[in-house]
Amino acid sequence: MSDRVSLMSCSDASLADSRLTVRQSDNECNLETRFIIVGKACQNNRQLQKALINFKAPVLSSEDGLEYANSGDNTHYNIFVLDDFMGGTFHVLRDREVIGRMLGPTVIVACSEMNQALPKSSRPLYCQSMKDVIICFTGFKSKTQIAKLADLVHYMGGSIRKDLSSRVTHLVAKQTGGVKYNLAVSLGMPILIDDWIHKSWEQRDDVTFKATDDTMMTFKMSTFYNCCLTLLGFPLEELKEMHKLTVENGGTFEDNTESGCTHVVIEEHNIKMLPFDLHPSVKVVKSEWFWGSIQMEACAEENMYSFEQADSNPKVHTPSTNLLGVTPKTLSGSRNRKRKLLRENLAHLASEGEVDSPYFQMKRRSSEYFSSSSIFDHTLDTSVSLKDTPSKADAVLSTPVSQMSTVKVTPRQQVVMELLHTETNYVTILHTVLELFKKGIEDPEQRGGPLLDPMDVKDIFGTIPSIYAVHCKIREELEEIVSNWRDDRVVGNLIIQHAEMLMKAYPPFVNFFERTKATIDKCDKENARFHAFLMKCRSRPECGRQSLTELLIRPVQRLPSVSLLLNDVLKHTKKDYEDHILLNKANEVLKEVMKHINEDKRKTEGQVAMFDIVNDIDNCPPILLSSHRNFVTKVDCMEVTDTLSGKGDNVTLFLFSDIIEMCKRRSKGNFKSPAVSKTPQKAYKHIELMSLSSIKRVIDIQDTEECKNVFALVCRSPTMTKEVLFTFAVINEDFNKDDFLRLICKYMADSVCRTDYENLLASMEAKDLDISLNDINNRSKVSRFSKRVSRAFSLKQTPRKLKRAMSSISQSDGSPMFHTKSRAPLSSSSTLPKNINNCL
């Protein structure tokens, strides 16, 4: 509609001008040219008078010029010069059929100074500040408004076009969106508001002024011009930043949709369904739309980022339904039946955390753990970022599960499959870094050009392309090994034959990783487009809400992780296998590569804290100390199950970047052995050191009156034949359990090179896992009291206080056991109970 109005108004505005044009083109060359100076202002303009001398033509003065317009003189070509293109005189002259044209003083002065001929304009021309400017209008609803703007553009030497094409230089819009607006954005065309035309007209008397000057680009249409946004599902800090950016980019925001809202922006990771109904005109978009708009400094096309609500009846992950659409079975009936059903539920939960693992496909029977639809329908789509890197693993994963169920998986094969699984995920992440981030930053065709200078790009990505290339080869060779598995297959050669490439690629990147992070931080703060690009990419599913810095740290962690996996393979490799020697050699190669990595560049406060932690743990495994490992956080808990230390025992979990240390916590008032301790007792006692890759699922137990702050870990290490459930209750009520669980999932995903860490967290009811806290307090008190009494009456080491109590009772004639009749009964205030209480 606006396009049609634009064409009609521009045609009407040009009718009067065309009358002068016809008379001019037919007679100008054969007639004598003369200047008619109209009005006192032009007659007193000394600069104009001086400029007219250079044209060597007669100059006449007139109050309104009408006498020359009505004379019927066909011997002169009249150039009317006047400084008011809005007054009555101008409109009267424009409507008369006279031989000549109308110019403003600015164009005459400019041509005189540049020693140029006067332009042969077909319309009244005041100045040439819009010379070579071709404008198209969009979004205007008023025909009169477009007509006025078109006149001003013509008076300044510009042109108007109905259709937007590559010939158009500027789009003047009333609002964001629409076909013309989106096409202009894709062409990189400047989009301005109508104030640009008005402000340019105000500068019409400035001979040097150009409407295309950089100073006039302040009238570019802002990103969210006339847009009112409602933001849903965003964290508080991100929400504050988005509100600030919305205002800075010309928009407004509302907390509800009832106040003229034009866009609802959804954080799709947190909101799956709209909580209210919307007017059809309101556009519902994903967060990627917001950041993409800021990156290209224009409102992105909403259709490309439309938010699609989830099915109203999906197989969603709820407290009673897992991600495979399988409802956990109610734990009822006999104790044996409960245990069997619990094992099945744990198997389901563990399978959800590794649906894309080749081992999972071979271990589970389709009839036992799969629904009627294929498990691969639920598999995470990692192919999005691996379109150009086809993998043989597809053939492995496409093998029917029913055929795999008959294959016996050895521990060695299981670890190799885990190595393939992590390697595939790692290559996927590197591919995402290069294709999504690096290419997106360097793209010269994007609106505004490349986001960063080539030097900054080099500082950020360094040797990532080389690292990606070598790991693509390792993955392909590992896929071939798994596809044609025999227990004596050689794995160590994977590292040995690529040692030179690893040596060239890794040390330069890891050694300068701090500079990489510094460059990202600097560009993020100084470059608004780059910041928006990072936030847009962060919302993409292949990034899993992780930042570029978090993804780039994976190469720093990868080689130590590979070394640990190779050690696991070595443990399950017979000494008479050829691979036993090669695996040792491969580990030596990795150590040699890591020697060239400057450890100081990778040290953090967490690594320093590990020394204090190790000193506080009794029987702490020495392998806890490692240069590639960082301390993250700890939590004090009480064990709910009896699979670790004992039901009701106080335990502490130390979370590191790739493992979790489980310790029994000794309280300050803990009962000590009767024997005098020569060595101070440590605060913790080691129980279990669990690799994060062995944790298959983190369970958030829903809070009830009887069960609060409880969570569980479903674990299965390569040496375990079944899943084990560890359940804990957080003691400190102020401790944020949700943040802690998400943190575990994040580092779990890092350990296996995955980005979808949210999928590792499940939420269930306590009854589904047979968890109860009813008798924990009583049982733990009884257990502690019985242990103390047992130790107090130990026959090997009787406490001194108890000995003195017994000796005070046995006095007089001989042994007490032969003279009990002469002794009075013990009262409640006797020495024995008092001393026993003291020693207990």
Side-chain angles (χ1 to χ4, degrees), residues 630-642:
N630 303 321
F631 170 68
V632 180
T633 186
K634 74 169 185 176
V635 58
D636 292 334
C637 310
M638 177 179 64
E639 187 179 4
V640 177
T641 55
D642 56 0

Side-chain angles (χ1 to χ4, degrees), residues 314-323 326-328 349 352 702 762-765 768:
K315 289 183 179 180
V316 296
H317 175 63
T318 64
S320 60
T321 304
N322 59 33
L323 291 178
V326 180
T327 303
L349 291 168
E352 292 174 11
Q702 292 187 344
S763 178
M764 299 186 68
E765 295 181 1
D768 293 328

Side-chain angles (χ1 to χ4, degrees), residues 176-177 181-182 185 191 221-225 227 229 263 283 289 292-294 296-302 305 447:
T176 60
Y181 180 92
N182 294 329
V185 171
I191 303 174
M221 177 169 280
S222 53
T223 303
F224 301 124
Y225 182 79
C227 294
L229 311 184
H263 295 77
K283 300 176 178 63
W289 170 85
S293 297
I294 294 180
M296 61 185 183
E297 299 177 338
C299 187
E301 188 174 355
E302 291 85 358
Y305 304 98
R447 184 179 177 86

Side-chain angles (χ1 to χ4, degrees), residues 69 103 204 211 225 265 270 296 339 539 562 672 675 706 741 766:
L103 298 177
R204 61 187 179 276
Y225 182 79
V265 185
N270 297 330
M296 61 185 183
R339 290 175 179 175
S539 64
V562 172
K672 296 183 180 180
E706 299 178 351
L741 298 185

Side-chain angles (χ1 to χ4, degrees), residues 63 83 87 103 105 136 183 342 432 470 497 641 674 684 832:
E63 288 295 325
D83 65 344
L103 298 177
C136 185
L183 180 56
L342 177 60
T432 299
V470 66
Q497 63 188 5
T641 55
Y684 306 97
L832 177 59

Side-chain angles (χ1 to χ4, degrees), residues 74-130:
N74 295 325
T75 61
H76 293 88
Y77 182 81
N78 298 318
I79 298 178
F80 295 90
V81 183
L82 61 167
D83 65 344
D84 185 4
F85 274 32
M86 298 296 169
T89 301
F90 169 79
H91 291 291
V92 172
L93 290 173
R94 191 179 68 170
D95 293 340
R96 298 293 178 88
E97 291 194 15
V98 296
I99 301 175
R101 49 187 166 150
M102 304 170 67
L103 298 177
T106 305
V107 66
I108 296 175
V109 173
C111 290
S112 175
E113 291 180 353
M114 293 184 290
N115 198 23
Q116 295 178 350
L118 292 174
K120 296 181 179 180
S121 174
S122 62
R123 301 181 179 90
L125 182 65
Y126 193 97
C127 63
Q128 289 186 293
S129 60
M130 284 194 174

Side-chain angles (χ1 to χ4, degrees), residues 4-65:
R4 181 171 59 83
V5 171
S6 175
L7 175 63
M8 294 172 57
S9 58
C10 294
S11 300
D12 294 342
S14 304
L15 289 177
D17 302 338
S18 62
R19 298 172 189 151
L20 286 174
T21 304
V22 175
R23 302 291 294 276
Q24 166 194 336
S25 59
D26 293 340
N27 300 287
E28 181 178 5
C29 296
N30 301 322
L31 301 177
E32 181 184 1
T33 300
R34 63 181 180 182
F35 293 94
I36 311 299
I37 310 300
V38 180
K40 294 288 186 181
C42 286
Q43 294 169 13
N44 296 329
N45 189 332
R46 294 183 179 180
Q47 191 178 16
L48 174 62
Q49 298 295 336
K50 183 178 179 180
L52 289 172
I53 297 175
N54 294 333
F55 293 101
K56 298 178 181 180
V59 178
L60 304 176
S61 299
S62 174
E63 288 295 325
D64 53 20

